[in-house]
Amino acid sequence: MGERILKLMMDILSQPAVLVALISLVGLIIQKKPVSEIVKGTTKTLLGFLVISAGAGIIVQSLDPFGKMFQSAFHVSGVVPNNEAIVAMALNEFGSATAFIMFFGMIANILIARFTKLKYIFLTGHHTLYMACMLAVILVVSGLQGIPLIVVGSLALGLIMAVFPAICQPIMRKITGNDSVGFGHFSSIGYVASGLVGKVVGKGSRSTEEISFPKGLGFLRDSSVTISLTMVVLYIIIAIFAGPSYVETELSGGTHYLVFSVIQGVTFAAGVFVILSGVRLVLAEIVPAFKGISTKLVPDSKPALDCPVVFPYAPNAVLIGFFSSFLGGIVGMVILAMTGSVIILPGVVPHFFTGATAGVFGNATGGVRGATLGSFVNGLIITFLPVFLMPVLGNLGFASTTFSDTDFAASGILLGNIAKSLGATGVTITVVGLVILAVVFGFFKKNKANQDSQQMEA
């Protein structure tokens, strides 16, 4: 019975659609909305996130053969970063610890948002699961177990879920034009780096969405057409390098390699189109519903949502960001090969989602140049950081895959090296100390704001 309840809890918390629908339900109930509005808002939120998930699934499915063709064409092998793969391996040994850290970590996130200035409630359930799993691995390797493991892991997760959206928010305000939505995807360091690069290089550069085309190419203003044609060309080029026989024997099931490439390229564009539709649906429902929680439970809090939330604001930057990040990954792979380090292969899926998002962040601060160079830097970062993460993952560090996003690597490297130097006690003191500092800082800021308010009234 206990195992069934644990599985139910993990399934609910790890499913973004269910989790965010529950948040929407609670928010609407707190606002005492009519039953019809509660049902409509909750259902449309659930539907919107399922649409986003479906779009992401389409993209992943279309990118899988692209990655295989790339490896076959250029005869490279090494470690392929993939969150889902490394977590699936880790859950066999660390499943129970992951579940408890995830559950209590989400509670810690709400409490930290309530009592500190970090007013972000992280709603990307699958990334919460992945981070909880990585924390469980590192803390067990450090020597923690039992209740101390759960307490330290939960506090660390709650703090991480509030800190990373906070560092993204200044650029999120530029992207969305308002302050109602936070950003909840654990590759924030790469996105902020892209935004900072955009500030440096982007002076005078126009937005990616203002790219002008000759009159005869006016159809390219439609992002769906642009993405389709660009991806078809890219697939055909890689398929030619991989060889028709490989594609038709191993990937297409006998379908001509050119036909297969065209279908996969347009399928990719279809996935992007579906994601954009789902994001618009979710934003229309979750922001008003979240006001109930923001007003009553956690004043001034913001929902931190998954990376596709920014895609509709700059669809051209999405495509530019993907290409530039993937190119950064290739350059990084070559550098690692030349230095004799572990070779990190450019995973097409992480480079799409993080690169596309980095493109939107870079575009917000530096237009076309910011999107291009910022995403390239993101590609380098997600190539090099996993090299330093792998040594702190214990036996999992020797697997053929690892965590793919910057915040996993940064958090793991920090905690893992503290554990190596200072042991379990050092990790515990560090995590608890950071949480206390956040609370104390929030308390003093609140008191100062009250004093300033009283002086103005006087």
Side-chain angles (χ1 to χ4, degrees):
M1 186 67 179
E3 289 183 2
R4 297 294 298 173
I5 294 174
L6 183 64
K7 185 179 186 310
L8 174 64
M9 180 180 73
M10 281 195 68
D11 286 347
I12 290 174
L13 298 180
S14 63
Q15 292 293 327
V18 177
L19 177 63
V20 178
L22 287 174
I23 295 291
S24 179
L25 174 66
V26 171
L28 292 168
I29 290 173
I30 290 174
Q31 293 179 75
K32 298 180 180 177
K33 295 289 186 181
V35 173
S36 59
E37 286 191 33
I38 292 173
V39 172
K40 186 189 86 168
T42 304
T43 303
K44 290 183 78 171
T45 302
L46 178 63
L47 174 63
F49 260 84
L50 288 176
V51 169
I52 294 172
S53 297
I58 292 170
I59 287 174
V60 170
Q61 185 179 6
S62 74
L63 287 177
D64 180 61
F66 182 90
K68 291 176 180 176
M69 284 191 288
F70 178 85
Q71 291 186 42
S72 174
F74 301 106
H75 306 290
V76 290
S77 60
V79 175
V80 182
N82 184 286
N83 294 328
E84 289 78 10
I86 190 72
V87 168
M89 295 169 62
L91 286 178
N92 290 326
E93 185 176 349
F94 304 97
S96 296
T98 297
F100 283 116
I101 288 174
M102 183 176 181
F103 178 74
F104 291 109
M106 295 183 72
I107 295 174
N109 177 212
I110 294 170
L111 292 174
I112 287 169
R114 177 70 177 82
F115 295 108
T116 75
K117 301 297 289 183
L118 302 169
K119 301 295 184 181
Y120 303 92
I121 297 179
F122 197 94
L123 297 180
T124 308
H126 62 295
H127 261 221
T128 306
L129 171 66
Y130 301 161
M131 185 63 80
C133 184
M134 190 197 71
L135 290 172
V137 173
I138 288 176
L139 295 177
V140 168
V141 170
S142 77
L144 283 170
Q145 55 185 336
I147 292 177
L149 168 67
I150 306 304
V151 172
V152 175
S154 301
L155 289 175
L157 180 59
L159 190 62
I160 287 168
M161 291 164 74
V163 166
F164 284 116
I167 70 172
C168 288
Q169 197 61 18
I171 302 176
M172 271 296 287
R173 281 193 288 268
K174 291 180 70 72
I175 293 170
T176 63
N178 58 61
D179 203 28
S180 60
V181 176
F183 188 84
H185 188 264
F186 285 136
S187 207
S188 310
I189 293 172
Y191 306 146
V192 172
S194 180
L196 293 175
V197 169
K199 278 188 178 181
V200 173
V201 305
K203 187 176 181 181
S205 180
R206 61 186 170 179
S207 168
T208 57
E209 309 316 296
E210 296 172 4
I211 295 174
S212 56
F213 298 98
K215 196 169 184 181
L217 298 176
F219 62 89
L220 293 176
R221 292 191 184 95
D222 186 324
S223 61
S224 296
V225 175
T226 305
I227 293 172
S228 296
L229 294 178
T230 306
M231 291 304 296
V232 165
V233 170
L234 190 62
Y235 267 97
I236 288 174
I237 291 172
I238 295 296
I240 290 172
F241 275 102
S245 60
Y246 172 78
V247 175
E248 292 170 10
T249 304
E250 300 294 331
L251 302 175
S252 72
T255 301
H256 192 281
Y257 77 104
L258 292 179
V259 175
F260 178 75
S261 299
V262 170
I263 291 173
Q264 293 304 317
V266 179
T267 299
F268 175 94
V272 174
F273 182 85
V274 172
I275 283 178
L276 298 181
S277 302
V279 168
R280 294 187 183 101
L281 185 60
V282 168
L283 287 180
E285 299 299 329
I286 189 63
V287 173
F290 200 81
K291 285 181 180 177
I293 292 173
S294 178
T295 303
K296 297 287 179 69
L297 299 180
V298 188
D300 302 322
S301 63
K302 300 174 184 64
L305 303 176
D306 201 354
C307 63
V309 74
V310 301
F311 290 1
Y313 295 96
N316 290 340
V318 167
L319 191 60
I320 291 170
F322 169 41
F323 290 152
S324 299
S325 181
F326 191 71
L327 180 60
I330 293 173
V331 171
M333 177 187 69
V334 172
I335 293 172
L336 289 174
M338 291 172 62
T339 58
S341 301
V342 174
I343 297 178
I344 304 295
L345 300 181
V348 184
V349 172
H351 276 288
F352 170 70
F353 286 104
T354 70
T357 309
V360 178
F361 272 67
N363 177 64
T365 59
V368 174
R369 285 200 297 273
T372 304
L373 295 177
S375 302
F376 181 84
V377 169
N378 172 78
L380 290 175
I381 292 173
I382 66 172
T383 301
F384 291 125
L385 277 184
V387 175
F388 300 99
L389 173 65
M390 292 170 71
V392 302
L393 292 178
N395 292 333
L396 281 177
F398 301 101
S400 58
T401 186
T402 188
F403 291 94
S404 60
D405 296 354
T406 58
D407 301 350
F408 294 110
S411 303
I413 291 166
L414 176 64
L415 290 175
N417 282 294
I418 290 173
K420 274 190 172 183
S421 302
L422 304 174
T425 303
V427 173
T428 303
I429 292 172
T430 301
V431 170
V432 173
L434 287 173
V435 172
I436 292 172
L437 279 176
V439 173
V440 170
F441 180 74
F443 176 77
F444 279 116
K445 289 283 285 186
K446 183 177 180 181
N447 278 355
K448 189 176 185 306
N450 290 338
Q451 289 172 5
D452 292 343
S453 177
Q454 289 171 2
Q455 288 175 1
M456 289 180 65
E457 289 175 0

